[in-house]
Amino acid sequence: MRYPKIPLAQSILEICQHKGVKHIVISPGSRNAPLTIGFTNNPYFTCYSIADERSAAFFALGIAQQLQQPVIVVCTSGSAVLNFYPAFAEAFYSQIPLVVLSADRPQHKIDIGDGQTIRQENVFANHSLFNANLNEWPSDANDALIQEALFVAVQQRGPVHINVPFEEPLYETVAEPTYAVQWIDSPIVSTAFALEESFVDYWNTAMKKFVLVGELAPNTIDQYYLDSLANDPSVVVLTEKTSNLHHDSFMDQIDTLITPFSEEDFSAFRPDILLTFGGMVVSKRIKSFLRNYKPTHHWHVDTIRAYNTFGALTKHFKTDSTTFLSAVLKHKTIESNYKASLAALWKDRLTKQEQYTQSAPFSDFKVFDFICKNLPKNSQLQVSNSSAIRYIQLFSMHPSLTVFCNRGTSGIDGSTSTAIGASVVNGFPTFLVTGDIGFLYDSNALWNNYIPANFKIILLNNRGGGIFRILPGHEETPTFNTFFETSHQLNASHLAEMYGLAYFEAQDENSLAQQYAAFLDQNEKPSILEIFTPEKLNDQVVLDFFRKLV
């Protein structure tokens, strides 16, 4: 086995292995050569070469999203590290342990007018949980910083930055390591949690309890506690698709339920307690409801942080959801018609939705209904931002499906790269549902050698940013078409050919059914199904849907 000759690189490698960090995503460069040589020559590490740094960081994010373990992304000095920032910010808000290792020039060479000598120290300061600015000589201080960075990434669930200066020569190797790491003891983290009886009492006496669940990893909450919530007549549970929670009584199409609400409905269903779990919430309508008709109490449960999304946060319980529910649910029920009243509305909404969907013309709305009904069981669904994740919210799916989306920053910039990274390690057939703008924006995601044969992209091409036609301000003008909707006549066929993906296309309901079957049967290589929908009809169909619910 070969080791980099530079002792600082040796210490990083040994610490990463000792701490169990296995997956390393590397973008090419010279200044990071000591790290590249070390990681790729050690069989313990699984290394991936991704040329585009922005894509590389999102690819690493996808791996970390699935494993919930630190994943390292490595780059050379200069502007390369700046391209990691979109994924870094996503990792911060989605609480994903992403570790950036950026090679740098020695401190005395920064700002001397030489190439690739930008100021890299603390470059992610606004979103980094820990910044380890190393010096080029091996030391106990460096060892401590590296170990602390990895500890923070795990314990605080988020991104950290380790900036590593290397002096030339960079490519020399040795047969045995020449540096011994100085180990430090990791702090003991207390997980004890005790819930004051006053909160239990208030929960047991509240007539209207509203549980809203955002983004959660699968199997986060024990089924016993989900059943307990479901069987309480004073509790209504609303879940987003990214919550990965399922129960027959949970309402998982939030906008379908509340869009037709009158002022009387909003007032009647204003909760005494709003209990929230998980990450970011997609639905704008539920946010508007809870901001305008604030709950008496808003409790959020999370071990790290709580956002005051609705302007009503009264208590942050710093524990995990199962621990909290085991403490608050005492199986004491109270007479209430809160759940029954909403359940009656919910049943009516679903009936009207099915009636509308059957007669709706071919459009984005119709296609998403088809997708949600026909995704293979026990698959993973990765969803891009903007229109795609909002449409997915409107339809029911089989509970065996797991759903992920980069909702931390809600950006379109890395959805495909994240999905591919996730597919490499998740062990499931993985489907990415994306729009044309997000797909084209992140087309370099296909530029790698790791895409599994069971990775499939469902691409809805409505020739622009269709969501802008639904948002306020839409009008048919050159400014709107060029600078908001970004109209185009592009398709994915040539990209598929260039990157070796099988390609299918559909233009209407009949071709969609035929091509979808062939698309699913294609198992020899990754594939794209591109579905062309009418850009000037899509917004009308979905707006008519909400009108028909009234």
Side-chain angles (χ1 to χ4, degrees):
M1 207 164 83
R2 290 194 302 160
Y3 298 86
K5 186 177 181 179
I6 297 176
L8 179 56
Q10 293 178 18
S11 68
I12 292 172
L13 295 163
E14 185 174 353
I15 291 170
C16 289
Q17 182 171 352
H18 183 79
K19 298 297 183 182
V21 182
K22 188 175 182 64
H23 294 272
I24 316 295
V25 180
I26 302 171
S27 292
S30 183
R31 189 60 49 171
N32 57 334
L35 296 172
T36 302
I37 291 169
F39 282 126
T40 58
N41 280 279
N42 186 332
Y44 172 80
F45 298 108
T46 300
C47 297
Y48 311 86
S49 175
I50 308 288
D52 181 326
E53 282 90 1
R54 186 181 70 188
S55 180
F58 277 108
F59 181 92
L61 183 84
I63 298 174
Q65 173 203 81
Q66 296 297 301
L67 301 179
Q68 290 298 302
Q69 298 171 3
V71 173
I72 287 176
V73 59
V74 181
C75 71
T76 191
S77 61
S79 60
V81 68
L82 303 181
N83 290 301
F84 287 166
Y85 213 135
F88 199 94
E90 177 65 33
F92 176 80
Y93 288 107
S94 289
Q95 299 184 8
I96 295 174
L98 183 68
V99 179
V100 165
L101 270 179
S102 58
D104 199 358
R105 304 297 174 102
Q107 187 63 42
H108 67 274
K109 291 189 174 180
I110 305 302
D111 283 343
I112 65 169
D114 208 353
Q116 294 184 313
T117 55
I118 71 168
R119 304 169 190 175
Q120 294 182 203
E121 293 188 355
N122 305 315
V123 72
F124 303 115
N126 282 342
H127 298 95
S128 182
L129 298 179
F130 188 82
N131 299 296
N133 297 306
L134 310 183
N135 59 62
E136 62 184 291
W137 306 110
S139 65
D140 293 353
N142 275 346
D143 293 348
L145 287 171
I146 298 164
Q147 292 172 74
E148 186 171 359
L150 296 181
F151 175 80
V152 169
V154 173
Q155 292 300 321
Q156 297 186 30
R157 300 203 318 265
V160 297
H161 179 206
I162 304 173
N163 193 58
V164 192
F166 290 130
E167 182 59 284
E168 296 177 347
L170 302 168
Y171 293 87
E172 294 182 342
T173 61
V174 293
E176 298 291 338
T178 58
Y179 178 76
V181 170
Q182 180 65 41
W183 300 104
I184 61 172
D185 294 329
S186 298
I188 297 175
V189 179
S190 174
T191 58
F193 173 76
L195 183 64
E196 295 177 17
E197 282 301 313
S198 59
F199 291 106
V200 177
D201 292 341
Y202 192 81
W203 176 269
N204 284 332
T205 56
M207 300 284 289
K208 297 187 290 186
K209 299 186 274 283
F210 197 104
V211 179
L212 175 62
V213 190
E215 195 172 24
L216 274 182
N219 305 311
T220 297
I221 302 178
D222 289 352
Q223 190 63 41
Y224 172 82
Y225 299 111
L226 299 180
D227 293 340
S228 295
L229 291 171
N231 294 327
D232 190 326
S234 66
V235 173
V236 169
V237 181
L238 269 63
T239 61
E240 298 216 303
K241 291 297 186 292
T242 53
S243 72
N244 293 297
L245 293 183
H246 306 283
H247 194 281
D248 289 343
S249 74
F250 293 175
M251 302 174 196
D252 65 346
Q253 294 151 250
I254 298 174
D255 288 357
T256 300
L257 173 67
I258 70 170
T259 296
F261 270 13
S262 64
E263 287 190 23
E264 290 77 13
D265 292 330
F266 283 124
S267 296
F269 295 117
R270 175 185 174 183
D272 300 324
I273 299 175
L274 169 65
L275 176 62
T276 54
F277 300 103
M280 303 299 187
V281 171
V282 176
S283 171
K284 285 187 175 182
R285 288 176 170 85
I286 196 66
K287 293 176 188 175
S288 178
F289 167 34
L290 293 170
R291 287 166 181 164
N292 291 318
Y293 297 84
K294 297 185 189 301
T296 307
H297 293 273
H298 173 198
W299 301 347
H300 185 72
V301 179
D302 185 87
T303 58
I304 304 297
R305 64 173 78 105
Y307 294 112
N308 192 13
T309 305
F310 315 108
L313 184 68
T314 54
K315 183 65 177 179
H316 174 201
F317 295 99
K318 289 189 175 183
T319 188
D320 64 89
S321 48
T322 291
T323 299
F324 175 82
L325 290 174
S326 69
V328 77
L329 297 181
K330 302 297 186 181
H331 307 290
K332 181 179 179 181
T333 58
I334 186 171
E335 289 188 13
S336 172
N337 66 349
Y338 189 55
K339 178 181 175 181
S341 298
L342 269 174
L345 280 178
W346 175 239
K347 183 178 180 180
D348 178 67
R349 300 281 196 266
L350 294 183
T351 300
K352 289 179 177 177
Q353 175 169 355
E354 186 60 29
Q355 292 171 347
Y356 179 82
T357 303
Q358 288 178 3
S359 60
F362 186 73
S363 58
D364 284 351
F365 183 90
K366 192 80 167 183
V367 170
F368 274 97
D369 175 67
F370 176 90
I371 292 169
C372 291
K373 287 177 178 174
N374 290 281
L375 285 168
K377 296 177 182 178
N378 300 307
S379 298
Q380 182 172 114
L381 179 62
Q382 294 272 340
V383 189
S384 71
N385 273 303
S386 205
S387 294
I389 187 60
R390 299 187 187 283
Y391 272 111
I392 287 289
Q393 297 281 96
L394 299 178
F395 303 97
S396 61
M397 293 189 298
H398 194 272
S400 68
L401 297 167
T402 56
V403 183
F404 293 86
C405 179
N406 286 346
R407 290 305 296 176
T409 64
S410 304
I412 68 167
D413 37 5
S415 296
T416 309
S417 297
T418 303
I420 293 172
S423 72
V424 169
V425 297
N426 65 20
F428 297 98
T430 301
F431 291 76
L432 167 67
V433 176
T434 183
D436 49 300
I437 298 300
F439 173 79
L440 293 169
Y441 196 97
D442 194 27
S443 61
N444 269 358
L446 305 178
W447 182 17
N448 68 74
N449 298 319
Y450 310 104
I451 307 177
N454 63 357
F455 179 76
K456 297 180 181 295
I457 299 173
I458 301 175
L459 167 59
L460 278 82
N461 188 340
N462 54 26
R463 299 174 180 84
I467 194 171
F468 288 101
R469 291 183 169 270
I470 300 173
L471 299 176
H474 165 241
E475 56 181 332
E476 292 296 331
T477 65
T479 294
F480 174 84
N481 293 335
T482 301
F483 295 99
F484 289 93
E485 188 180 30
T486 56
S487 298
H488 66 86
Q489 297 300 317
L490 303 174
N491 64 70
S493 61
H494 295 293
L495 280 171
E497 182 180 2
M498 181 169 69
Y499 290 116
L501 277 68
Y503 178 78
F504 305 84
E505 69 172 74
Q507 305 276 354
D508 52 35
E509 286 190 60
N510 290 333
S511 61
L512 174 58
Q514 294 171 0
Q515 294 298 303
Y516 188 75
F519 172 69
L520 292 185
D521 287 342
Q522 165 57 254
N523 293 311
E524 295 181 1
K525 56 183 177 179
S527 51
I528 297 175
L529 170 60
E530 186 166 21
I531 307 167
F532 296 92
T533 62
E535 69 271 25
K536 293 185 179 179
L537 178 64
N538 288 319
D539 59 318
Q540 192 60 50
V541 173
V542 72
L543 292 174
D544 284 347
F545 163 65
F546 287 122
R547 294 187 189 103
K548 294 291 185 182
L549 293 175
V550 178

